[in-house]
Amino acid sequence: MPRDKTQSHIRIIEAAKREFLEYGYADASLRRIADAAGIQVSGLYKHFASKEEMFASLVDPVIEGLMKCFHSIEGNYYEELDHMAPDRLWEGQRETVRAMEYIYEHFDVFRLIICRSQGTRYEGFTHDIAVLEENVTFRYMESLKERGVAVREVNEKEFHLLVTASVEAIFQAVIHNFTKSEAMHYAETLEQFYLPAWKALFGL
């Protein structure tokens, strides 16, 4: 009778998560993961084709959830365009607070992504999020212009640096191992700090 692999798979995932958190992707040992899961190293390959695939199985579902959160916030911004005065735009979305809530629902996984992913395709995650944020913001500004709202032109290189800094600021809570309470207070501070600056930058 074939053995049920479900429990083995769960043990591998749990062992891999602990290993990656402690040693990082580059220094993680498949032998230690196998020993912790109670199987042979060869048995890992019945579940994952490679160490990076194992890492991806931990982080991809959480990244997908973050993208859903991101696009939900983006949709909220567009919903307010037709019924809110230009000087009130951007003020009610609390995107940093909402993002931080999600991050702290999956804190260990974001520790993997932000602090333990060197050597994987995820080590540029912060940059990728910043580029996404830039593109979304510029599309939004074009929508404002189409509605007759005066929007100040910005230097794209400077904007890239500013957005990168703001995204990295959010993940500093993860890097510095803030408690959730500390992180949520910090998110509120970031909102107060950045919102007036973004509005001033675009002349809104």
Side-chain angles (χ1 to χ4, degrees):
M1 182 176 178
R3 295 180 64 184
D4 182 3
K5 295 182 180 179
T6 302
Q7 289 303 314
S8 294
H9 193 82
I10 292 172
R11 290 199 305 273
I12 292 168
I13 286 293
E14 291 174 347
K17 185 177 180 180
R18 291 193 299 270
E19 179 76 10
F20 290 133
L21 281 169
E22 182 170 356
Y23 295 99
Y25 173 82
D27 294 329
S29 163
L30 291 179
R31 183 169 299 280
R32 285 194 297 262
I33 292 171
D35 287 347
I39 64 173
Q40 299 294 317
V41 172
S42 59
L44 296 176
Y45 292 100
K46 296 177 182 178
H47 298 263
F48 300 101
S50 65
K51 185 167 75 168
E52 184 159 359
E53 184 180 299
M54 192 181 298
F55 190 91
S57 74
L58 290 165
V59 304
D60 278 350
V62 171
I63 291 174
E64 181 179 343
L66 181 66
M67 292 301 99
K68 288 180 180 178
C69 178
F70 185 90
H71 291 305
S72 174
I73 293 169
E74 180 185 5
N76 293 155
Y77 275 113
Y78 281 96
E79 287 170 8
E80 71 181 16
L81 286 179
D82 294 324
H83 61 79
M84 189 170 288
D87 62 342
R88 296 293 307 281
L89 294 172
W90 275 10
E91 292 185 0
Q93 301 305 332
R94 294 169 58 79
E95 61 180 285
T96 302
V97 173
R98 291 163 69 181
M100 196 72 81
E101 283 278 5
Y102 182 82
I103 289 166
Y104 270 73
E105 288 171 7
H106 307 277
F107 181 77
D108 284 349
V109 176
F110 279 100
R111 287 282 294 177
L112 290 177
I113 298 168
I114 302 302
C115 306
R116 299 288 187 263
S117 64
Q118 187 173 7
T120 74
R121 62 182 179 273
Y122 304 97
E123 63 182 315
F125 176 78
T126 301
H127 174 267
D128 294 341
I129 294 296
V131 170
L132 179 62
E133 179 69 22
E134 288 176 62
N135 292 335
V136 167
T137 302
F138 280 127
R139 285 200 302 270
Y140 179 75
M141 291 305 157
E142 287 302 315
S143 294
L144 289 181
K145 291 176 185 177
E146 290 170 2
R147 287 166 169 78
V149 178
V151 176
R152 182 181 298 145
E153 297 297 324
V154 301
N155 181 289
E156 292 190 12
K157 289 183 178 181
E158 290 182 358
F159 187 62
H160 171 72
L161 297 181
L162 291 169
V163 172
T164 299
S166 69
V167 171
E168 290 178 347
I170 294 171
F171 290 117
Q172 286 298 313
V174 176
I175 293 169
H176 289 275
N177 206 25
F178 277 18
T179 65
K180 183 173 182 180
S181 176
E182 290 172 329
M184 297 316 300
H185 184 276
Y186 175 57
E188 295 282 0
T189 301
L190 288 177
E191 289 275 4
Q192 294 169 19
F193 182 79
Y194 276 109
L195 180 58
W198 292 132
K199 295 188 73 171
L201 181 68
F202 286 100
L204 297 176

